[in-house]
Amino acid sequence: MKKRWIIVLGMTVMTILGLGVKFYMDEEKLNKEMEKVIYSDEAKQVFEKRLTNLDAKAFTKEGIIQSYEIDEGSIESNPMGGIEVRLIINNNSELYASYTMSRNNGVLGGGGAIISKELARQTEVKD
């Protein structure tokens, strides 16, 4: 009788460990796929278009936005669909824009956006 319980317990532990490894591997695969999308040329075009909409002179001498980099730690799946990502502007962590990237009809686009207070203040249209 004891042997039977030990075998059942062993099988249960093996099953739980197997499922844990599978979920971990699935999560890693999803993370790699999201990074591939975010670092793609298609995403770069979306980011630059969005930043140019925010600052018409972005990436020029006269513009507020001179450069951006992807905050790698911010890339995560959005529960409503898509990928959340934060862009750090001009290497200043107080200047950032966060976007929800998603594919609609096969085209990658930026959905919702969150602009930091400081970036909004600096890019505000002045009369």
Side-chain angles (χ1 to χ4, degrees):
M1 189 70 164
K2 247 184 174 177
K3 270 187 172 179
R4 196 176 290 168
W5 282 109
I6 291 173
I7 290 172
V8 169
L9 181 62
M11 299 267 297
T12 303
V13 168
M14 295 283 282
T15 301
I16 291 170
L17 284 174
L19 287 172
V21 168
K22 182 191 181 325
F23 290 136
Y24 175 78
M25 295 304 285
D26 288 348
E27 177 98 13
E28 285 297 309
K29 183 179 177 185
L30 178 64
N31 288 342
K32 292 209 182 302
E33 288 175 14
M34 288 190 304
E35 284 183 11
K36 185 177 176 183
V37 170
I38 295 300
Y39 286 101
S40 71
D41 288 336
E42 188 177 13
K44 180 180 178 181
Q45 290 174 354
V46 172
F47 295 146
E48 289 178 0
K49 180 178 179 187
R50 285 300 200 94
L51 293 173
T52 304
N53 288 342
L54 188 60
D55 175 12
K57 296 180 180 179
F59 310 113
T60 67
K61 290 179 183 177
E62 298 85 31
I64 302 294
I65 299 173
Q66 296 294 313
S67 66
Y68 73 91
E69 65 183 61
I70 296 167
D71 179 1
E72 190 173 330
S74 73
I75 301 171
E76 60 184 31
S77 179
N78 183 313
M80 298 298 287
I83 305 169
E84 296 283 334
V85 63
R86 176 182 288 188
L87 304 178
I88 305 295
I89 310 299
N90 301 339
N91 292 319
N92 183 343
S93 62
E94 290 184 14
L95 302 176
Y96 64 85
S98 297
Y99 296 105
T100 302
M101 304 294 286
S102 60
R103 277 197 193 281
N104 294 318
N105 299 322
V107 177
L108 186 65
I114 299 172
I115 309 300
S116 71
K117 185 177 179 179
E118 184 62 24
L119 182 60
R121 185 186 68 72
Q122 288 188 25
T123 57
E124 191 175 90
V125 177
K126 297 175 177 54
D127 294 331

